[in-house]
Amino acid sequence: MTEFSFSCLGVRADAYAAGPTLVFRLRITASPGTRVHALALRCQIRIEPARRGYDDEEAAALGDLFGERSRWGSSLNPVQFAQVSVMVPGFTGEIETDLAVPCTYDTDIAASRYFRALTGGDVPLLLLFSGTAFTGAAGFHVEPVPWDKEISHRMPVKTWREMIDQHFPGCGWIRLPGDAMDALLAYRSRHALPSWQAVVERLLDEAGEGAR
């Protein structure tokens, strides 16, 4: 069976993607002399929050995900980030390839809330690989990529922020159910408010939670 190994050379924001996208640069190495005709690769990416520290501001922002610091010994569990696939072209020895990961700024998603809460440093990630390899010097052999293939990588928080700023500069957004949206639309209409920002600011002022 062909032995595969993986490494992550870095990650960047895709400046030309239609939506927020991170691109991981992978190096894949196969057993010496093995001809790989193609590799159907799957990658699951997890955030491992226990592998970094957090200042007080970050800890407060992460409260809805992990609770109070006193609970973090049991609540700071891995967070699912993405599951993507890529078809790697043929190679012998090793190859470098890009793994594109579409992202969302939807703060209902745990990974997005986690990224938004961080003020700096790195995001500890675990990349887990599986898939199917088509190998052989003459003809094709079909081999699995073992499930135990995994690597750790630390992605700079600034890379995430750069990606988000390309698509939502200085902004954020929330998703609401239809009945709540209808109520907000009616409120905006009744008060002749010019924008959604004005709606939110007025509601916060009425609740005594406006800017201080």
Side-chain angles (χ1 to χ4, degrees):
M1 182 176 290
T2 304
E3 180 67 25
F4 290 98
S5 62
F6 300 85
S7 59
C8 182
L9 305 180
V11 57
R12 70 181 192 276
D14 188 340
Y16 303 103
T21 303
L22 292 172
V23 179
F24 290 78
R25 187 67 174 176
L26 302 179
R27 176 179 289 149
I28 306 169
T29 304
S31 301
T34 300
R35 174 61 181 165
V36 179
H37 299 286
L39 179 60
L41 187 66
R42 294 186 296 272
C43 180
Q44 181 182 154
I45 306 177
R46 297 177 187 167
I47 301 167
E48 297 196 306
R51 290 177 44 217
R52 62 158 283 166
Y54 304 91
D55 61 28
D56 290 341
E57 180 182 348
E58 292 171 330
L62 290 168
D64 65 331
L65 284 179
F66 305 121
E68 300 293 331
R69 276 191 190 271
S70 59
R71 296 178 49 207
W72 283 11
S74 59
S75 66
L76 216 61
N77 298 316
V79 175
Q80 180 75 10
F81 174 30
Q83 187 158 330
V84 292
S85 301
V86 63
M87 183 61 72
V88 181
F91 67 96
T92 300
E94 69 176 33
I95 190 172
E96 293 184 10
T97 191
D98 286 338
L99 180 70
V101 179
C103 302
T104 177
Y105 200 36
D106 185 349
T107 52
D108 282 344
I109 305 300
S112 297
R113 295 209 305 277
Y114 177 85
F115 289 130
R116 184 176 173 81
L118 303 184
T119 59
D122 297 330
V123 179
L125 300 175
L126 181 67
L127 286 73
L128 303 99
F129 298 98
S130 62
T132 304
F134 303 90
T135 65
F140 285 91
H141 302 286
V142 179
E143 305 180 39
V145 176
W147 283 91
D148 62 352
K149 298 300 179 182
E150 60 183 51
I151 56 173
S152 296
H153 183 73
R154 302 189 76 89
M155 180 183 74
V157 172
K158 65 180 181 181
T159 302
W160 169 267
R161 296 196 178 279
E162 176 188 342
M163 176 195 68
I164 293 300
D165 286 344
Q166 288 174 359
H167 297 274
F168 308 107
C171 300
W173 62 275
I174 57 175
R175 181 176 55 188
L176 296 173
D179 55 351
M181 195 70 219
D182 290 342
L184 282 175
L185 283 166
Y187 181 89
R188 179 176 177 175
S189 179
R190 284 197 307 273
H191 296 280
L193 297 172
S195 66
W196 287 117
Q197 179 178 345
V199 171
V200 173
E201 288 175 347
R202 178 157 181 163
L203 288 169
L204 288 173
D205 287 341
E206 290 177 352
E209 297 290 338
R212 298 182 178 128

